[in-house]
């Protein structure tokens, strides 16, 4: 008797977790690299603004320079988060085209619908949208708070990913929230 899609999803749960961790590590490395570039730019701006001391008081910071550096820093932080968003769109756009991510390909797992066939593009977008639900808040935190925002945003995303993983582990059919909303499963590609 052939296993159901749900049974195949439960059997592939371990491989799915490894795929999830691989994808998370790749995306985190790119995000951290982008954040590091932003951190260096903001540091250079801050040091430059502090060097713009007024002639009457050599140790004082120029108020206009600090304000300009602060505003430019906020713009740079928003650009950072837009770049991270672009990476996510590219990554999941690639996923939408090929129906697999780097992690899924490495673990030989695939996303399918209830019938065991590749999901529609709409279903893939829905499950990805649920996974990335915290991103708008992350954009605001990161853009406004800079380096501290990156930390808060990372904690927010990690918390959301833990919720998604917990749902996957406690559900009888190994579906995370995005899978439940989209009606998809992650199964071994060999099935």
């Amino acid at each position: 008797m052939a296993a159901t899609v749900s049974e195949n999803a439960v059997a592939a749960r371990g491989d799915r977790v490894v795929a999830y961790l691989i994808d998370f590590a790749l995306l985190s490395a790119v995000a951290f690299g982008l954040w590091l570039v932003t951190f260096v730019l903001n540091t250079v701006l801050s040091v430059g603004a502090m060097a713009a001391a007024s002639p009457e008081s050599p140790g004082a910071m120029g108020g206009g320079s600090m304000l300009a550096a602060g505003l430019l820093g906020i713009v740079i932080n928003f650009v950072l988060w837009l770049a991270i968003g672009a990476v996510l769109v590219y990554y999941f756009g690639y996923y939408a085209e090929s129906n697999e991510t780097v992690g899924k390909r490495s673990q030989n797992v695939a996303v399918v619908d209830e019938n065991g066939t590749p999901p529609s593009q709409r279903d893939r977008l829905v499950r990805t949208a649920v996974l990335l639900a915290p991103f708008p808040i992350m954009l605001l935190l990161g853009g406004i708070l800079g380096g501290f925002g990156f930390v808060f945003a990372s904690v927010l995303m990690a918390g959301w990913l833990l919720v998604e993983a917990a749902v996957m582990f406690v559900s009888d059919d190994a579906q995370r929230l995005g899978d439940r909303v989209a009606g998809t499963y992650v199964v071994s590609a060999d099935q």
Side-chain angles (χ1 to χ4, degrees), residues 20 53 68 89 114 134 142 147 152 170 172 179:
Y20 195 72
V89 166
E114 296 99 1
F152 290 131
V170 299
D172 293 336
D179 290 318

Side-chain angles (χ1 to χ4, degrees), residues 8 12 15 104-110 112 186-191:
N8 287 340
D15 291 333
K104 283 183 181 64
R105 185 178 325 127
S106 74
Q107 297 306 302
N108 202 30
V109 294
V112 297
V186 177
V187 299
S188 172
D190 295 333
Q191 302 294 326

Side-chain angles (χ1 to χ4, degrees), residues 55-100:
E56 300 85 35
S57 178
M61 293 181 245
S65 298
M66 287 305 292
L67 178 63
L71 291 174
L72 192 53
I74 289 173
V75 169
I76 289 171
N77 290 331
F78 275 113
V79 169
L80 161 71
W81 285 95
L82 291 174
I84 290 172
V87 168
L88 291 171
V89 166
Y90 171 78
Y91 191 82
F92 288 107
Y94 169 78
Y95 157 70
E97 288 298 316
S98 67
N99 199 32
E100 60 184 9

